[in-house]
Amino acid sequence: MTRVLAINGSPRKDGNTAILIRAILSELEKEGITTETVQLGGKKIHGCTACMKCFENRDGKCVIDDDLVNGCIEKMRAADGIILGSPVYFLDVTSEMKALIDRAGFVSYANGHPLKNKVGNAVVAVRRAGASRTADSMLHFLLANDMIVPGLPVIGMGLDIGDVEKDAEGMDRAEHLGKGMAQLLKHLNRHPLPVQNGEGR
């Protein structure tokens, strides 16, 4: 069974970022792909402390174990595709998304790059400025983990909740990404790439 995990870094559970994510997941679900969304906003999540314990332990976990990050890491490892979404907060990702990608990235590097060859992309909800930088922060995480990124990230314009639905081009890009991800995931299911546990690096 092919699975795609979406992680929403917005404090608004049903805001513009969620609307864009749902548009992508809807296209994936039409193709029989199982989807799940994890909401970061409103949850306790610590920033990385650079303690390097993940490199000492190499157990696939962050040593900070009283928030949702390790659960997200497990879900990422189990998924075939990953979508990261964030609104623009002061010209970059939200603090919750930054904490996740810092800690999950360290754990991945410490454990042989288990996200290698998974399919991923980024979603950004923006009012005006900062969309490219926000997308880059999430794309850097995906690319640094040797993931496959098909096409451009989805960027939707809007301020108030629901405004992004008025951005016809942004909504069209979300649907296009969903269809493209589904096609690629189906191809990879039929023709798997080498093992994803980082062996041979």
Side-chain angles (χ1 to χ4, degrees):
M1 181 184 300
T2 304
R3 299 175 181 273
V4 170
L5 173 70
I7 301 178
N8 184 1
S10 174
R12 296 175 173 176
K13 182 178 180 181
D14 296 310
N16 289 321
T17 307
I19 290 170
L20 292 168
I21 288 172
R22 283 198 296 267
I24 298 169
L25 298 186
S26 176
E27 297 300 324
L28 291 164
E29 290 162 2
K30 289 176 185 176
E31 297 298 323
I33 294 170
T34 300
T35 69
E36 179 184 2
T37 301
V38 172
Q39 175 71 27
L40 298 184
K43 307 289 179 60
K44 179 172 69 172
I45 180 167
H46 302 286
C48 179
T49 63
C51 68
M52 310 307 286
K53 290 293 184 182
C54 51
F55 283 89
E56 292 179 25
N57 298 334
R58 298 187 187 276
D59 58 359
K61 298 178 181 179
C62 176
V63 71
I64 302 171
D65 201 25
D66 64 347
D67 61 12
L68 77 171
V69 169
N70 280 330
C72 287
I73 291 171
E74 289 180 15
K75 290 178 184 293
M76 282 192 250
R77 292 183 70 149
D80 302 287
I82 299 169
I83 297 166
L84 300 180
S86 176
V88 176
Y89 272 35
F90 213 76
L91 305 180
D92 211 326
V93 293
T94 61
S95 57
E96 293 89 347
M97 178 58 69
K98 185 67 168 85
L100 174 71
I101 60 180
D102 283 351
R103 289 169 57 195
F106 260 118
V107 170
S108 176
Y109 266 64
N111 289 274
H113 292 261
L115 306 184
K116 180 182 175 69
N117 292 338
K118 295 182 186 292
V119 178
N121 216 316
V123 173
V124 179
V126 60
R127 174 178 173 265
R128 189 174 303 275
S132 294
R133 182 185 178 95
T134 302
D136 284 348
S137 291
M138 294 182 283
L139 290 174
H140 289 161
F141 170 83
L142 303 175
L143 294 171
N145 280 287
D146 293 332
M147 292 178 61
I148 302 166
V149 179
L152 297 171
V154 171
I155 296 173
M157 306 287 290
L159 176 60
D160 295 326
I161 293 175
D163 279 355
V164 74
E165 294 176 314
K166 303 170 189 174
D167 179 7
E169 185 176 356
M171 295 301 295
D172 182 68
R173 282 288 310 138
E175 293 175 10
H176 179 78
L177 175 59
K179 291 174 182 176
M181 281 189 72
Q183 184 178 19
L184 179 55
L185 286 164
K186 285 188 171 185
H187 176 80
L188 291 173
N189 191 41
R190 294 190 299 268
H191 308 284
L193 292 171
V195 292
Q196 299 180 357
N197 63 1
E199 291 178 4
R201 282 185 65 93

